[in-house]
């Protein structure tokens, strides 16, 4: 029993020492980031630097190279001192708060659409980073994604804005399922869902452009038009050629359940359907009244 108590005491001591080392490492990391944001000549007390990571599950954030700049958050006109870090697994914005505290906002690469280099109101270079938030999984029927934009400006280093934009774009391209596969064809039924198809297309088409996806759209004009787009119709005026899956290896259907079923049935009716279904990627953006398949 005595040896068991000694072993327990040693285990507790090592656990306490490891936790203390992690706290010191975290404080040192946050101190390094705070000094980078405020400037190396600014003295920052260690005890006053804290980090609150939104959506970040790291036990301790390690100091990593980033770009010090001014940050304008989504739906805000205020610019805050901050830093941007772009690594293989995340896009992180660190904002300096009162009392030398830090607020960290982190996004997965799956949420990053892309970035653009533009000029702000004072004709200085600014990087706009476009993000699409992940919908909640608690209630999929009512969950929505929102488009958000962080504006990064007043970089301290020359050429930092373009380097930051390139890093964000490279991060987005690592997980983009469409950007590296050639063209994307969108078959849009403008009358689906009480004529919501066109409205939904106009709302979603800019997202493809922000992600630098080469999008081509075709709007159905009559019943069976989606089938003709997939299989072809030489009797049409003008004749419609079958879908070239090498030119458009990705197909997006914007419509209701009827449009989706029409496209899928037409794919299976093609003489080359075996090779087509192995190569073609098919997705849907629900725009119908019920959209049972999308749910």
């Amino acid at each position: 029993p005595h040896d068991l108590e000694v072993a327990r005491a040693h285990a507790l001591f090592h656990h306490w020492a490891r936790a203390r080392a992690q706290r010191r490492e975290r404080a040192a990391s946050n101190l390094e980031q705070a000094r980078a944001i405020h400037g190396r000549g600014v003295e920052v007390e260690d005890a006053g630097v804290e980090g609150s990571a939104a959506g970040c599950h790291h036990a301790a954030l390690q100091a990593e190279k980033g770009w010090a700049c001014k940050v304008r958050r989504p739906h805000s006109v205020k610019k805050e001192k901050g830093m941007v870090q772009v690594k293989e697994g995340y896009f992180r914005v660190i904002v300096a708060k009162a009392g030398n505290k830090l607020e960290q906002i982190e996004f997965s690469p799956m949420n990053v659409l892309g970035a653009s280099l533009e000029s702000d109101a004072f004709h200085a270079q600014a990087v706009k980073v476009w993000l699409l938030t992940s919908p909640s999984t608690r209630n999929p029927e009512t969950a929505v994604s929102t488009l958000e934009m962080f504006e990064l400006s007043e970089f301290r280093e020359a050429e930092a804005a373009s380097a930051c934009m390139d890093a964000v774009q490279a991060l987005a391209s690592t997980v983009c399922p469409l950007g590296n596969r050639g063209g994307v064809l969108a078959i849009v039924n403008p009358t689906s869902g009480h004529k919501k198809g066109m409205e939904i297309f106009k709302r979603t088409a800019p997202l493809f452009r922000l992600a630098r996806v080469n999008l081509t759209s075709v709007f159905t004009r009559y019943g069976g038009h989606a089938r003709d787009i997939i299989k072809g119709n030489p009797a049409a005026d003008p004749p419609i050629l079958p879908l070239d899956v090498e030119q458009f290896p990705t197909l997006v259907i914007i419509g209701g359940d009827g449009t989706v079923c029409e496209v899928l049935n037409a794919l299976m009716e093609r003489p080359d359907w075996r090779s087509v279904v192995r190569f073609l990627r098919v997705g849907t953006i629900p725009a119908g009244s019920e959209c049972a398949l999308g749910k």
Side-chain angles (χ1 to χ4, degrees):
H2 176 71
D3 293 339
L4 181 60
E5 291 297 328
V6 172
R8 286 178 177 174
H10 279 292
L12 289 173
F13 173 78
H14 287 300
H15 176 75
W16 172 82
R18 185 166 56 251
R20 183 183 181 186
Q22 289 177 347
R23 287 195 299 271
R24 287 183 173 180
E25 181 181 358
R26 182 165 59 250
S29 171
N30 289 335
L31 174 62
E32 182 71 18
Q33 293 169 348
R35 282 175 174 164
I37 293 173
H38 290 286
R40 293 287 177 176
V42 178
E43 293 295 330
V44 183
E45 296 182 1
D46 293 15
V49 181
E50 299 177 358
S52 60
C56 176
H57 302 287
H58 298 2
L61 296 172
Q62 299 183 5
E64 296 167 323
K65 179 175 172 55
W67 292 277
C69 61
K70 290 290 185 69
V71 178
R72 185 168 68 86
R73 307 193 198 200
H75 317 297
S76 174
V77 297
K78 178 183 177 182
K79 289 186 177 182
E80 303 171 273
K81 284 186 177 181
M83 173 183 286
V84 176
Q85 295 176 338
V86 183
K87 294 297 178 181
E88 184 177 352
Y90 60 81
F91 167 76
R92 180 184 296 156
V93 176
I94 304 172
V95 178
K97 307 297 288 184
N100 296 326
K101 296 182 179 180
L102 300 178
E103 179 183 358
Q104 301 177 21
I105 311 166
E106 187 170 304
F107 293 92
S108 163
M110 292 296 296
N111 299 114
V112 181
L113 285 178
S116 60
L117 189 62
E118 303 179 14
S119 297
D120 61 11
F122 301 98
H123 306 287
Q125 284 190 328
V127 178
K128 292 185 177 181
V129 181
W130 300 92
L131 304 144
L132 192 64
T133 63
S134 300
S136 172
T137 57
R138 295 184 178 180
N139 192 350
E141 294 190 8
T142 59
V144 296
S145 297
T146 58
L147 180 64
E148 297 186 348
M149 185 271 290
F150 281 84
E151 184 181 271
L152 316 173
S153 60
E154 300 183 36
F155 290 85
R156 291 183 181 175
E157 303 172 3
E159 307 298 330
S162 59
C164 178
M165 184 203 68
D166 291 341
V168 173
Q169 201 60 45
L171 177 67
S173 64
T174 59
V175 296
C176 180
L178 305 178
N180 301 323
R181 299 193 81 241
V184 177
L185 179 66
I187 298 179
V188 184
N189 184 350
T191 62
S192 62
H194 305 293
K195 299 184 178 182
K196 291 192 306 183
M198 182 61 73
E199 175 190 348
I200 292 177
F201 169 75
K202 290 180 179 179
R203 288 167 51 193
T204 55
L207 303 182
F208 289 91
R209 291 194 292 270
L210 291 174
R212 301 189 181 182
V213 172
N214 184 16
L215 180 69
T216 301
S217 56
V218 179
F219 302 92
T220 58
R221 301 190 305 272
Y222 53 85
H225 191 188
R227 178 179 179 274
D228 291 346
I229 294 171
I230 300 299
K231 292 187 61 180
N233 185 358
D237 185 20
I240 301 175
L241 297 176
L243 172 67
D244 185 351
V245 295
E246 292 187 0
Q247 181 183 3
F248 298 107
T250 303
L251 185 64
V252 176
I253 308 165
I254 303 180
D257 296 329
T259 309
V260 174
C261 291
E262 183 178 332
V263 169
L264 296 181
N265 287 330
L267 288 172
M268 299 303 296
E269 292 171 3
R270 287 174 56 127
D272 59 346
W273 68 270
R274 292 184 184 275
S275 61
V276 168
V277 297
R278 282 197 300 265
F279 182 73
L280 184 67
R281 288 185 179 180
V282 181
T284 177
I285 299 177
S289 302
E290 295 296 332
C291 298
L293 182 61
K295 296 176 181 178

